[in-house]
Amino acid sequence: MQKNGAGTVDLLELTTAGGCGCKLPLDVMRQFMTSLSGLIGAAPTSEAVKADSSHRDDAALYEIAPGRLLAVTSDFGTPVSSDARTWGRIAAQNALSDVYAMGARPLLALSLLALPRHLGLDVMSDLTAAAVATLAESATPLVGGHTVVSEVPLFGLCVVGEVLADQALLLGNARPGQVLILTKALGTGIVIAARKAGVASPTLVRTAEELMSASNRTAADTAVRCGIRAATDVTGFGLVGHLLNMLSASGCAAVVRAHAVPVLAGVAELLDTHGVVPNSGEQNLFAVEGETTWSDVAYGMRLLLCDAQTSGGLLLAADPAKADAFMAASARDGIPASVIGTVTNGPAGTLEVRG
């Protein structure tokens, strides 16, 4: 709970969907991005722009010198915790993750903050202080931002990073025969919904918040060092939605083994016993049905694979030898990476999930 001048407030009670669960539904987002691509294609652009929204990558890329690119992104959302400092840390990691998913190092950040008037300066200060402390861990200064009044609390960052052109991690670089790797367990969206419903244990909530608070920096650095060049991060569209984006951009298909996908302990019980099903997860599931074949996969597991994550892990596609090197380095560095499937030949942007 968060204390302010008016007493104590539960930030999670101020939103219907926490974090990336508030994202525009996947099917609506696809329609919007298609229309936006037409607008961008009709407008003048600079040759320095190497990736824009039409590429569907996690950040735009802009060439500032031969072989040197800026990675620019913005990401914000609703509360993911009852505590402002915890939310601030997670929101910062979530925004930084878009830069890491491009293989880039962050350079600076701007804050995006919208709060109801009654929350006051204490919440604003706690949110920002936590974000600044998190950014400092990657030597990234917060240099400004924009703050407005809003009935629904929103917080996040615009982040600018830098990457060498030949080291960029891109959605369109996956190839048949590569191995799919996921670096964080799934289920945080379900835990947030269960916390709002009052059926998640304090231990499980704390575990989910720790997972969301963990940085993807080491995983991204390791991927670049191992020669991996295809990646995205798993957020509001769930694992399946973000994987389908990668497969569509790369012109490939894939097979995922559901039993190999890491899931937070206790999340399956929230689904099976308490019936906690976030609307965002259901919407994601419905949106991917046309491109996804489910082979002996229980409905609850389908929901988990489509669960909207906030500050989720990296999803990597790597040649087998590079995947082996990444997994060995991850084991040394304490990155909880898992091999979950393979990229295959097949209709572009299609997925088979096996039990």
Side-chain angles (χ1 to χ4, degrees), residues 240 244 254-256 288-297 302 305 349-355:
V240 171
L244 286 171
V255 174
V256 164
V288 304
E289 286 289 0
E291 304 121 307
T292 308
T293 301
W294 305 95
S295 302
D296 299 319
V297 181
R302 299 183 192 189
L305 295 176
T350 61
L351 172 65
E352 179 186 358
V353 184
R354 299 174 182 171

Side-chain angles (χ1 to χ4, degrees), residues 27 29 39 44 52 161 181 206 216 227 252-253:
D27 53 349
M29 189 65 181
L39 292 172
D52 56 29
I181 301 170
R206 186 163 52 251
N216 282 326
C252 303

Side-chain angles (χ1 to χ4, degrees), residues 204-281:
L204 182 53
V205 171
R206 186 163 52 251
T207 299
E209 290 179 346
E210 289 173 353
L211 183 66
M212 291 186 286
S213 297
S215 173
N216 282 326
R217 177 177 180 172
T218 300
D221 287 348
T222 302
V224 170
R225 189 171 64 251
C226 291
I228 297 172
R229 295 296 180 263
T232 187
D233 63 340
V234 179
T235 55
F237 300 145
L239 172 64
V240 171
H242 287 285
L243 175 54
L244 286 171
N245 283 345
M246 175 183 281
L247 298 175
S248 179
S250 299
C252 303
V255 174
V256 164
R257 297 179 295 276
H259 67 272
V261 177
V263 176
L264 281 172
V267 169
E269 181 183 355
L270 294 176
L271 279 168
D272 298 338
T273 302
H274 298 286
V276 177
V277 180
N279 288 337
S280 55

Side-chain angles (χ1 to χ4, degrees), residues 4-6 9-11 13-15 78-79 87 113-124 127 147-155:
N4 66 355
V9 61
D10 185 341
L11 293 173
E13 295 304 313
L14 301 179
T15 177
T78 51
W87 176 24
L113 176 59
L115 290 178
R117 291 184 185 277
H118 72 269
L119 289 184
L121 290 174
D122 288 347
V123 175
M124 294 172 63
L127 268 172
T147 305
V148 301
V149 175
S150 169
E151 292 184 5
V152 177
L154 298 166
F155 182 63

Side-chain angles (χ1 to χ4, degrees), residues 48-53 56-64 68-75 95-110 112 157-163:
V49 177
K50 301 304 179 183
D52 56 29
S53 62
R56 306 294 197 269
D57 277 298
D58 295 287
L61 295 176
Y62 186 90
E63 188 175 57
I64 55 173
R68 290 177 57 206
L69 306 175
L70 288 182
V72 185
T73 184
S74 61
D75 207 321
L96 286 167
S97 185
D98 282 341
V99 169
Y100 295 141
M102 303 297 291
R105 284 294 187 94
L107 299 174
L108 56 88
L110 300 166
L112 305 168
L157 301 171
C158 172
V159 184
V160 178
E162 184 177 2
V163 61

Side-chain angles (χ1 to χ4, degrees), residues 31 55 90 238:
Q31 296 173 29
H55 294 79
I90 293 170

